[in-house]
Amino acid sequence: MLTLGRSGNGYREYDEGHADCVVQIRGLFDAGLPTRIIRQILPLGPHHQEEPVSYPQLLTPEEKLTNAKKLLSLPRIVVICGSTRFMTEMNEADLRETKAGKIVVKPDCDMKSPHELWSDPVEAEALKVRLDDLHRAKIRLADEVLVVGDYIGDSTRAEIAYARSLGKPVRFTHPEVDPGA
C-alpha cells in the first residue's frame, strides 16, 4: 500500500512518515477494514505527508439507523412503554401521537388478559421473554419514549433506564412517576 523506494541492494527504503502511516494501516486492519477500503481512505502516494489523512466515518449502528431515517424522510418514531394495565391509555396515546404525525410502536400483547397464545404457563414465560426483547428493539428503533400511566413497575422502570442509557428522550403522561425526577 505504501509507495516505497528501493536501495541499491533491493531493500525497501522507509522514512519517518512511513512509520506513522504503518501505524494507521495496522489500526484500520485491526478494526476489521479490508485492504481495498484502506487504499481508498488513506492517501498513500509518494507525498502522503503533504495530503490530509482521511478516515472512514465509522458509525455506530444507532448512528446508521438515524441517518437512514433522515434519508428516508421518516417522521419521528415514538415507543409507548408502561404497564399493560394501561392498555386503554396506551391506545389513546397512540391516537394522539399518530395525529401529531409520529409513527407509534407499543406493546400489543396484554398477557394479563386471557388468551390461548399464553394459556400454558411454560409457553407464557418464554413468550414474555421474547416480548421483552422485542420491546427493547422497539426502544432502540424509536426516537423517543412515552411512558403511559400513573404507576411504574419493575419492567417499565427497566425500560426507562434502558431508553435513557441509549440517550432517548423519555416523556411521561404522569411526570410525577418519573423515577429519574
Side-chain angles (χ1 to χ4, degrees), residues 112-132:
K112 292 179 180 152
S113 297
H115 195 282
E116 66 184 58
L117 291 177
W118 45 84
S119 60
D120 178 286
V122 173
E123 289 180 23
E125 189 57 36
L127 178 60
K128 169 118 177 60
V129 170
R130 288 195 313 275
L131 292 174
D132 287 346

Side-chain angles (χ1 to χ4, degrees), residues 24-34 37-38 41-42 54-65 67:
Q24 289 176 343
I25 292 169
R26 183 77 252 160
L28 293 169
F29 270 130
D30 292 345
L33 293 175
I37 299 294
I38 295 172
I41 61 174
L42 288 180
S54 65
Y55 294 95
Q57 276 208 330
L58 301 176
L59 301 176
T60 66
E62 293 81 8
E63 291 168 328
K64 289 179 183 177
L65 178 61
N67 289 344

